[in-house]
Amino acid sequence: EIVLTQSPGTLSLSPGERANLSCRSSQSVISSYLAWYQQKPGQAPRLLIRGAYTRAPGIPGRFSGSGSGTDFTLTIHRLEPEDFAVYYCQQFGTSPLYTFGQGTRLEIK
Amino acid sequence: QVQVVQSGAEVKKPGASVKVSCKTSGYTFTGHYIHWVRQAPGQGLEWMGRINPNDGGTKNTQNFHGRVTMTSDTSSSTAYMELSNLKSDDTAVYFCAREGGSGFHFDYWGQGTLVTVSS
């Protein structure tokens, strides 16, 4: 089973700053199989990035994904107030087919 | 536009079963897998399984020990997830989500269904 470990658990930043969220896999992941989601309280997750790098339709350009192999990063280049939320990475593997990281909480400093 | 709408909250006793529906519209239902993901209170996301509405084929995680049954009805573009022999730690929000066209991610999600298991 592939385990995804996200860090930090909580990230405290101010609007306008840049956020770097890490997702590390216990085994190498094909980039096409890595996605990122944003979840706000009481809401369903929202797809941000698919295939490690490709923004989903309607996602602002300040969100970008990078990385390969076992290390992936979600960067939010200039934080807006609406960006403070929990972020999850997700990968497609074997058994189970899909796993999520435990999440990074991005909070206002 | 794509819409995914789930059934309402449920309260069940331990040992009972619950069936959650996921009604879709705005796209060809048989063209995309539907996945089920749950989230216990204050916790992260857990993938449960998926169904191919085109042929009814399913794959799910072993974590539920055969307690999960996923079905679909192409006439109403609706997917269903039934969880049996409920335990208190099955209390969670259950989401359905459509798999994106290029695969390996979930692009449209239902609003979630809270299932509470309590005696």
Side-chain angles (χ1 to χ4, degrees):
Chain A
E1 176 182 342
I2 295 179
V3 176
L4 298 178
T5 301
Q6 293 186 240
S7 61
T10 300
L11 183 58
S12 299
L13 293 170
S14 300
E17 291 191 293
R18 183 168 73 178
N20 290 308
L21 285 65
S22 172
C23 176
R24 184 160 291 177
S25 175
S26 59
Q27 300 176 34
S28 185
V29 175
I30 296 173
S31 296
S32 301
Y33 297 170
L34 195 287
W36 289 92
Y37 301 85
Q38 176 193 69
Q39 188 180 33
K40 297 181 179 179
Q43 296 185 16
R46 177 174 71 145
L47 176 68
L48 298 175
I49 301 287
R50 61 174 177 86
Y53 322 116
T54 302
R55 276 189 304 277
I59 300 302
R62 63 181 182 273
F63 290 90
S64 67
S66 62
S68 63
T70 59
D71 290 290
F72 295 87
T73 300
L74 174 69
T75 299
I76 312 171
H77 291 273
R78 284 182 60 86
L79 286 165
E80 297 285 346
E82 62 268 27
D83 298 336
F84 292 91
V86 179
Y87 292 84
Y88 294 95
C89 57
Q90 166 252 305
Q91 68 84 36
F92 168 79
T94 51
S95 180
L97 277 185
Y98 291 88
T99 52
F100 292 89
Q102 83 281 14
T104 289
R105 180 178 304 278
L106 178 57
E107 64 177 27
I108 299 177
K109 187 173 182 180
Chain B
Q1 73 281 21
V2 175
Q3 291 192 316
V4 182
V5 180
Q6 298 182 223
S7 48
E10 303 262 13
V11 179
K12 296 291 184 181
K13 293 191 183 303
S17 297
V18 67
K19 191 171 185 177
V20 179
S21 68
C22 172
K23 183 169 178 57
T24 72
S25 60
Y27 74 97
T28 302
F29 181 61
T30 53
H32 295 258
Y33 292 167
I34 293 290
H35 295 256
W36 291 90
V37 175
R38 77 175 183 179
Q39 186 170 38
Q43 302 301 307
L45 302 168
E46 178 184 19
W47 181 79
M48 299 177 67
R50 64 103 166 129
I51 185 167
N52 179 355
N54 191 47
D55 62 9
T58 61
K59 282 192 184 294
N60 54 26
T61 175
Q62 302 301 311
N63 293 351
F64 294 92
H65 307 291
R67 297 192 297 129
V68 174
T69 303
M70 292 172 287
T71 56
S72 63
D73 177 359
T74 56
S75 68
S76 62
S77 300
T78 302
Y80 300 90
M81 186 282 300
E82 184 170 21
L83 185 60
S84 62
N85 192 20
L86 288 166
K87 313 173 195 306
S88 58
D89 59 5
D90 290 320
T91 294
V93 176
Y94 290 77
F95 294 101
C96 63
R98 189 187 84 158
E99 182 167 324
S102 56
F104 319 120
H105 62 273
F106 313 130
D107 60 356
Y108 288 92
W109 294 66
Q111 80 278 17
T113 296
L114 175 62
V115 175
T116 303
V117 183
S118 174
S119 55

